[in-house]
Amino acid sequence: MKFFTTFLLTILIMVSVTPPSFAEDTTSKAPQIRGEGAYLIDVLSGQTLYMKNPDEPLAPASTTKIMTGLLAIELGDLNDIVTPTSTLLNNKLVYGTQIYLEPGEKMPLKDLLYALLLNSANDAAVAIAEHIGSDLPTFVEMMNQRAREIGATNTHFLNPSGLTESGHTTTAHDLALIARVAYQNPTFAQYVRTKSQPISRSKTDIPKLMVNENKLLWRDSAVDGIKPGYTAAAQNCLVASVTKDGRQFIGVILKSPGPEIYTDMQALFEFGFTQFKSTIFKPSGSIISTTTVNNEPVNLILDRPIYMTQKIDDQSSVLDLKVIPTSSSTLTSVEEGQVVAQVEISDDSTLLGTLPLKSTRTILPPTVKRSLFSNYFSWTTGAILIGVILLLLISAKIRADRRWRRKMRLARNRYSMRESSD
């Protein structure tokens, strides 16, 4: 019994001290984040550098507008003219921060996005949602569908603004994934890094200058987005991006009690820059796999690098790569540069991203190859026949010329003999 107890205790100790990821480092170097949930992700590699209660459902407040803005940019036209409806008069859907839109007022989508992402206007969120989705329920479903596509499976949106509503929740992890995808859209990135922007309004005495509420954007030149938020229920929330020395991190802090959220975010960024380094795991042009097309080998290569983030004092980690064909059918032909597969990049069973794999050569289908061979054979055969005919004609002409010259010599000889006899 004593031996069994000792053995069980040993197993428990081994399990308890084995960290599943370097993101859960609890050493003194890790920052002490006062928010209830936090996450730090490397944008290039997609790897996690820090997390605190990463999967706890929390209210996102106006960080919800990251998804609203992303969908507007992906599905809308910035030059669209948006006409808000009477939905704006519903004070259960629209209250708090506003630019005081009125039903029937016309405004370009590009200006409404400044109001949404800089000024965090809740009426702009509703106007955009109805414009893109035709109605609020449809747009909210689009938000949730896009979240699932991104991999944010613990997110449940109920409105486009982030105003308090029971069940409207996300997680620090999910929000980091959403923000990473959103920031990789160049138009979205341009919006959230803008400090201020005037918009056109037909009336006076209403907000026209949109000012970015992300205080870190004004304090730190390396910070380049994304979105803060606050409600009484969600408390202080912040999603922020920082880029320095070719590296970019996105940090998320949810349900922080006060303005320390900004200094905590800076500490999170400093932790990432000082404790981790980014390297190229596979450079662009690397052969990741080889397939066979018509019994001929075809290399599949990357058209962009795969990055890896490692602890500075630990160089042993590697990434897992899994090649998945884009079609279940057997390839009978392929063109150079054609995407024929994808490679899934994982870290300790966590999917980080997917990149296309392209063919390095062109392989024609069998029918085309046979046709080309037949054409080639036909042309070759024809050329040979023409050559033979020409040779025969030339040979015949040569023989004819010889006979003619022989006749001419005989004629001259007979003439010479008659001359001499005379």
Side-chain angles (χ1 to χ4, degrees):
M1 184 66 181
K2 181 177 181 182
F3 170 78
F4 177 80
T5 303
T6 303
F7 176 76
L8 182 61
L9 181 60
T10 303
I11 294 297
L12 289 173
I13 291 172
M14 289 175 64
V15 171
S16 65
V17 298
T18 303
S21 162
F22 57 62
E24 293 185 341
D25 187 357
T26 57
T27 66
S28 59
K29 295 178 182 178
Q32 301 303 305
I33 305 300
R34 284 161 282 192
E36 193 163 324
Y39 214 87
L40 181 65
I41 192 171
D42 187 305
V43 172
L44 285 178
S45 70
Q47 288 174 274
T48 303
L49 312 186
Y50 175 94
M51 55 185 171
K52 175 183 178 181
N53 299 326
D55 298 318
E56 180 182 348
L58 295 167
S62 284
T63 61
T64 298
K65 295 183 175 81
I66 294 172
M67 178 60 81
T68 302
L70 175 62
L71 284 178
I73 292 168
E74 288 181 338
L75 303 177
D77 184 326
L78 296 182
N79 294 315
D80 283 351
I81 300 301
V82 180
T83 305
T85 71
S86 58
T87 305
L88 296 180
L89 303 178
N90 187 337
N91 58 16
K92 292 183 178 180
L93 296 174
V94 179
Y95 59 92
T97 304
Q98 301 179 56
I99 58 169
Y100 303 103
L101 288 170
E102 294 183 356
E105 180 182 355
K106 298 183 183 299
M107 186 176 293
L109 178 60
K110 60 184 178 182
D111 282 353
L112 281 176
L113 281 167
Y114 282 117
L116 177 85
L117 296 171
L118 275 63
N119 199 55
S120 200
N122 296 319
D123 49 356
V126 170
I128 289 171
E130 289 194 315
H131 177 74
I132 299 297
S134 299
D135 56 58
L136 286 183
T138 300
F139 185 79
V140 169
E141 177 51 37
M142 293 164 66
M143 294 172 72
N144 288 314
Q145 175 61 34
R146 190 70 176 97
R148 289 190 291 270
E149 293 171 358
I150 290 170
T153 55
N154 293 316
T155 293
H156 185 219
F157 294 120
L158 292 174
N159 63 66
S161 63
L163 289 171
T164 302
E165 194 167 349
S166 178
H168 183 94
T169 57
T170 186
T171 67
H173 181 199
D174 278 8
L175 202 48
L177 296 178
I178 292 169
R180 182 188 180 217
V181 170
Y183 203 95
Q184 288 172 331
N185 182 300
T187 302
F188 182 95
Q190 179 271 321
Y191 268 95
V192 295
R193 71 166 64 102
T194 301
K195 290 184 176 180
S196 63
Q197 175 70 31
I199 61 174
S200 57
R201 305 290 299 274
S202 57
K203 294 185 177 182
T204 59
D205 300 327
I206 51 178
K208 296 180 181 179
L209 180 64
M210 302 296 102
V211 178
N212 201 314
E213 294 185 340
N214 183 357
K215 293 181 174 60
L216 282 187
L217 193 66
W218 299 86
R219 296 178 185 176
D220 188 341
S221 61
V223 172
D224 45 14
I226 292 181
K227 187 79 184 69
Y230 173 84
T231 65
Q235 298 186 43
N236 292 280
C237 303
L238 178 62
V239 180
S241 165
V242 64
T243 303
K244 185 167 63 175
D245 300 328
R247 305 170 68 190
Q248 184 184 10
F249 301 145
I250 285 177
V252 177
I253 300 177
L254 297 176
K255 203 169 185 180
S256 185
E260 67 275 1
I261 192 171
Y262 290 102
T263 55
D264 282 358
M265 184 65 77
Q266 288 178 304
L268 203 56
F269 289 154
E270 184 66 14
F271 174 69
F273 284 120
T274 59
Q275 300 302 312
F276 298 89
K277 74 172 188 175
S278 296
T279 58
I280 294 178
F281 181 65
K282 295 286 184 181
S284 178
S286 295
I287 298 172
I288 301 301
S289 182
T290 300
T291 190
T292 301
V293 180
N294 292 341
N295 297 320
E296 296 190 45
V298 177
N299 292 328
L300 305 181
I301 64 170
L302 293 165
D303 66 350
R304 68 196 79 171
I306 296 175
Y307 293 90
M308 180 172 65
T309 307
Q310 298 171 294
K311 278 187 175 180
I312 289 176
D313 57 357
D314 179 14
Q315 308 303 317
S316 62
S317 58
V318 294
L319 299 177
D320 297 320
L321 304 181
K322 180 181 179 182
V323 176
I324 301 176
T326 54
S327 173
S328 58
S329 304
T330 302
L331 286 174
T332 57
S333 65
V334 70
E335 294 183 4
E336 182 180 353
Q338 179 182 338
V339 175
V340 297
Q342 294 181 325
V343 56
E344 289 187 346
I345 308 155
S346 300
D347 178 22
D348 192 23
S349 74
T350 300
L351 181 64
L352 303 175
T354 303
L355 292 179
L357 294 178
K358 297 184 176 181
S359 167
T360 56
R361 58 185 297 206
T362 296
I363 303 292
L364 297 174
T367 53
V368 174
K369 294 177 76 172
R370 283 196 295 269
S371 176
L372 288 175
F373 176 76
S374 299
N375 290 337
Y376 174 77
F377 181 78
S378 299
W379 278 102
T380 303
T381 303
I384 291 173
L385 288 173
I386 291 171
V388 169
I389 292 170
L390 287 173
L391 286 173
L392 291 173
L393 290 173
I394 293 170
S395 177
K397 187 177 186 303
I398 290 173
R399 287 196 298 271
D401 288 345
R402 285 176 179 174
R403 286 194 298 270
W404 182 79
R405 284 194 294 269
R406 188 180 301 115
K407 288 180 180 179
M408 291 299 293
R409 282 198 301 270
L410 290 172
R412 283 195 298 270
N413 289 338
R414 285 195 296 269
Y415 178 78
S416 299
M417 291 176 66
R418 284 198 300 270
E419 286 288 325
S420 60
S421 63
D422 290 343

